[in-house]
Every structure is written in structure tokens, then in C-alpha cells.
Amino acid sequence: MTGPAPDRARVIPLRPGPSRPEPAPAPREPLLRDLVGDVLRSERLAQERTLKDVADAARISMPYLSEVERGRKEASSEVLAAAAQALGLGLGDLLTRAHGELVRVTGRRTVTDRRTVTGRGVSVSAHNGLCLAA
């Protein structure tokens, strides 16, 4: 009976290796809080205003506004409206800009729905409007 050479260790794999490479995970959809935070921060910086100035005008704490801008907090619609108003925007303007950012980040433009309406295909936007649910 022959064994392994005395100067070589014998290795027994615990699990067989994958027969084919794992597929890459699907890209993650951006979160609304990240998109809205990016819009708030870019608008504040475009206006050359400080975090403290905008937070005071919106009557929210500076640390909280900072966390909203960084996408760390899910702000209520009241807080978002106050922050937008402090920047001279309406809530609709803020959400429209966030929608534009979503389209830019995901690269989605238009998809064609295969259903037939009065004999024609229906063209629908992948993000046809922004839908919020509570």
C-alpha cells in the first residue's frame, strides 16, 4: 500500500467546487430616499447654502437634514415638503427631479407593452410617473 509522500500533505476538499461560475447578482434598484437626498443636496450646493441655513429655514434639525441628504433616513412627506420649500422648490418639483435621477441612474427609457389595445401595441414608460405607497 502506498501512501502520500512524507513531505506532501493530503488535501481532501470539503465541498466540490462549482461546476460553472455563479451569475452576477442583478443590479439593485436605487432607493427613493437616496434619490431624494441626492436632489436635496445638489440643489442646496447649487444655491451655495449651508446645511444649517436650509435646516433652519425648513425648521428641522441640521443632523436630521444631513441624514436625509445622505439617504440614511426615510423622511416624511411633511419633512420633504419643508426641505423643498426651504430650497424654493415644491414637493412635486423635488419628486420630479428624483424621478429624473432614477431614469438617469437606471438607464431606463421606454418599454413596449405586448398587450394589444385597439389593435396596437401600447408604449409605456418604465417609470411613467412616480408612484408612492404608504
Side-chain angles (χ1 to χ4, degrees), residues 6-63:
D7 60 340
R8 300 185 81 191
R10 187 170 157 209
V11 178
I12 302 171
L14 297 176
R15 289 187 199 146
S19 59
R20 54 189 142 132
E22 295 285 326
R28 210 181 66 154
E29 287 282 334
L31 299 175
L32 180 62
R33 67 178 185 230
D34 292 326
L35 297 169
V36 169
D38 289 345
V39 171
L40 287 172
R41 177 168 281 183
S42 65
E43 184 62 29
R44 179 177 61 79
L45 294 175
Q47 294 180 15
E48 298 180 352
R49 293 176 66 185
T50 64
L51 199 58
K52 181 174 179 7
D53 177 42
V54 175
D56 289 346
R59 301 188 60 146
I60 56 180
S61 75
M62 188 175 66

Side-chain angles (χ1 to χ4, degrees), residues 109-115 121-128:
R109 295 290 180 231
T110 302
V111 296
T112 301
D113 190 355
R114 301 239 187 263
R115 291 174 288 153
V122 179
S123 180
V124 294
S125 170
H127 300 290
N128 193 10

